[in-house]
Amino acid sequence: MSQEPRPRKQIHLAAHFPGVNNTTVWAAPPASPTTTAGRDAARHPALGSQIDFSSFEHLARTAERGLFDFFFLAEGLRLREHKGRIHDLDVLGRPESLTVLNALAAVTERLGLAGTVSATFNEPYELARRFASLDHLSGGRAAWNVVTTSDAFTGENFRRGGFLDRADRYTRAAEFLATARELWDSRPAGEPPRRVDHRGRHFTVRGEFGVARSPQGHPVVIQAGDSPEGREFAASAADVVFTRHGGLAAGRDFYADVKRRLPAYGRRPADLKIMPGVTFVLGDTLAEAQEQAAEIRRQQVSPQTALVTLEQVWGVDLSSYDPDGPLPDIDPDPDGELARGRVRIADPQAVADKWRALSRAKGLSIRETVIETTGRQSFIGTPESVAREMDDFVQGDAADGFILVPHLTPGGLDSFVARVVPLLQERGVYRTEYTGTTLRSHLGLPDPARPVGKD
């Protein structure tokens, strides 16, 4: 007996505000007005700033016009420094995520609003209150990307200071999220609030929660992390996983590994959406898109950026090296001055050996090696080929959708919405209108169980 064909999976899309990372390119690559790149540059001659509200508004409105599930905003708790100097892109700083999202709630109607907030340097009661408030103000569109902070460098900005070991960070994050959910559940709709009496290893919370139960009950929870601890945390507690993978095979392996962990927590595969962060470059031809992508990567990895990236692996000053020359022949120093107090690479020697082998095999310079090894999985091609490849990833169980990270601020998403979204709709794998009002409804996620009253 032949089996019925599996229904085609629907693709979920989200937009990541590119902000101040080195992946942002603040000027369109030079191109003829007859090319895709040239037309996009002409359409957006004045690029925005990472602190102007108009930049956030433009990207959010574009994402909503494209019927995206949510807008995703990262956050940095400290300006990045290297050898005592602040990175150029960080000079103006970054606004606090929830403040921006609350403002965006007033200029959007259906788009989900996701903010990154650390569970290491915040407290459950205050953060639960802020996300519940956003969920109310937006009519049920709030999401929290739960992250942990791993370095003492950031910790210097906080009273407790220091940093936690990896296992302790995830233990704290798990208790933090469980406590927040306990607070959200303490205000059942139509019932008097319940007193919360939480006493755990990391937190003690007593009293009544000050915000009524919000439209979603719990904001959508996003988790970013590819480590074994991160995967287990995602399977136990997250609604969306924000991840990276390098190709179709790696995506399938990650997808299968995380989904197989769900039954242990009484969850179904559909209860967790896996959405890797990806970039895209569109061209009228494949050759044009590839040429533009190569130019973007060269802008993203300047000679100075290449040396900084190398120093973060080697742990020592490499300013005397030529970015267009070969990799250093010295071994990394994991306890070097430039490695102290920062996010540590688990095995810098292994990374150095891998980069050297690649450099020798392909004859790459320092800069070329960094360009090749630090690129995020991207979709590069014509709108038709990009739509087809994205569909292949989702139908092949390598992802449930994608979080797009455009390289231009704030107009980098415009061409995708205009040229790729209609093709996904024609393929029957993407919505043609919003059918619900909450982010949970966009993602097809179940509502959190309603708390049962106590006698």
Side-chain angles (χ1 to χ4, degrees), residues 26-47 58 292 407-408 411-412 414-415:
W26 293 90
S32 164
T34 62
T35 66
T36 302
R39 289 195 298 270
D40 288 345
R43 200 176 295 123
H44 302 289
L47 299 179
H58 182 101
Q292 185 182 354
H407 62 274
L408 287 174
D414 294 40
S415 61

Side-chain angles (χ1 to χ4, degrees), residues 389-446:
E389 191 174 0
M390 285 186 160
D391 192 19
D392 289 345
F393 263 72
V394 172
Q395 306 311 325
D397 289 338
D400 292 309
F402 306 96
I403 297 176
L404 302 183
V405 188
H407 62 274
L408 287 174
T409 301
L413 197 63
D414 294 40
S415 61
F416 185 94
V417 168
R419 307 185 71 196
V420 179
V421 164
L423 298 175
L424 295 174
Q425 292 169 331
E426 288 177 9
R427 298 175 75 90
V429 295
Y430 192 68
R431 65 170 64 95
T432 56
E433 62 180 350
Y434 287 115
T435 56
T437 59
T438 69
L439 178 53
R440 286 187 176 277
S441 67
H442 301 343
L443 291 165
L445 295 171

Side-chain angles (χ1 to χ4, degrees), residues 274-306:
I274 295 177
M275 300 178 67
V278 298
T279 60
F280 63 91
V281 180
L282 303 178
D284 291 331
T285 65
L286 176 59
E288 180 191 314
Q290 290 173 333
E291 181 181 357
Q292 185 182 354
E295 178 58 30
I296 289 167
R297 286 300 293 146
R298 285 190 66 80
Q299 290 190 55
Q300 291 171 331
V301 182
S302 66
Q304 296 82 1
T305 297

Side-chain angles (χ1 to χ4, degrees), residues 175-230:
E175 186 182 341
F176 193 119
L177 179 56
T179 306
R181 284 177 165 157
E182 190 176 349
L183 290 162
W184 293 324
D185 283 342
S186 70
R187 297 294 303 263
E191 297 181 26
R194 303 173 186 160
R195 289 185 62 81
V196 173
D197 188 2
H198 176 91
R199 304 181 189 187
R201 175 184 170 189
H202 294 279
F203 308 108
T204 299
V205 179
R206 300 182 65 187
E208 294 180 356
F209 189 49
V211 182
R213 189 171 181 85
S214 68
Q216 293 188 115
H218 301 172
V220 168
V221 171
I222 304 170
Q223 194 271 335
D226 289 348
S227 68
E229 298 93 338

Side-chain angles (χ1 to χ4, degrees), residues 144-397:
W144 171 23
N145 179 36
V146 183
V147 298
T148 63
T149 307
S150 61
D151 58 281
F153 173 72
T154 299
E156 290 175 352
N157 270 348
F158 297 87
R159 183 178 67 178
R160 182 161 54 82
F163 66 100
L164 299 173
D165 290 335
R166 178 184 293 273
D168 288 336
R169 283 190 280 123
Y170 278 105
T171 299
R172 178 185 169 92
E175 186 182 341
F176 193 119
L177 179 56
T179 306
R181 284 177 165 157
E182 190 176 349
L183 290 162
W184 293 324
D185 283 342
S186 70
R187 297 294 303 263
E191 297 181 26
R194 303 173 186 160
R195 289 185 62 81
V196 173
D197 188 2
H198 176 91
R199 304 181 189 187
R201 175 184 170 189
H202 294 279
F203 308 108
T204 299
V205 179
R206 300 182 65 187
E208 294 180 356
F209 189 49
V211 182
R213 189 171 181 85
S214 68
Q216 293 188 115
H218 301 172
V220 168
V221 171
I222 304 170
Q223 194 271 335
D226 289 348
S227 68
E229 298 93 338
R231 297 180 188 203
E232 201 66 28
F233 181 44
S236 68
D239 299 307
V240 176
V241 178
F242 174 41
T243 184
R244 298 182 181 185
H245 52 68
L248 187 62
R252 283 175 173 160
D253 290 344
F254 180 87
Y255 189 97
D257 179 61
V258 174
K259 296 276 187 172
R260 72 171 176 78
R261 298 171 189 254
L262 292 168
Y265 299 98
R267 306 181 69 195
R268 305 168 303 157
D271 293 343
L272 177 65
K273 307 302 180 187
I274 295 177
M275 300 178 67
V278 298
T279 60
F280 63 91
V281 180
L282 303 178
D284 291 331
T285 65
L286 176 59
E288 180 191 314
Q290 290 173 333
E291 181 181 357
Q292 185 182 354
E295 178 58 30
I296 289 167
R297 286 300 293 146
R298 285 190 66 80
Q299 290 190 55
Q300 291 171 331
V301 182
S302 66
Q304 296 82 1
T305 297
L307 287 178
V308 167
T309 303
L310 213 65
E311 288 175 342
Q312 291 170 350
V313 175
W314 262 256
V316 296
D317 188 318
L318 300 174
S319 58
S320 62
Y321 283 78
D322 180 0
D324 294 320
L327 269 66
D329 55 6
I330 60 173
D331 288 333
D333 181 358
D335 297 315
E337 183 67 28
L338 299 183
R340 293 176 186 170
R342 304 299 181 88
V343 179
R344 293 190 175 221
I345 295 172
D347 190 345
Q349 185 64 57
V351 173
D353 291 343
K354 180 179 178 180
W355 286 12
R356 283 171 177 156
L358 177 66
S359 176
R360 286 194 297 267
K362 294 190 174 185
L364 303 178
S365 67
I366 288 174
R367 186 182 182 191
E368 291 167 337
T369 301
V370 173
I371 287 173
E372 180 135 346
T373 57
T374 61
R376 176 183 284 122
Q377 163 67 26
S378 295
F379 294 103
I380 301 170
T382 65
E384 292 78 10
S385 69
V386 168
R388 182 176 60 252
E389 191 174 0
M390 285 186 160
D391 192 19
D392 289 345
F393 263 72
V394 172
Q395 306 311 325
D397 289 338

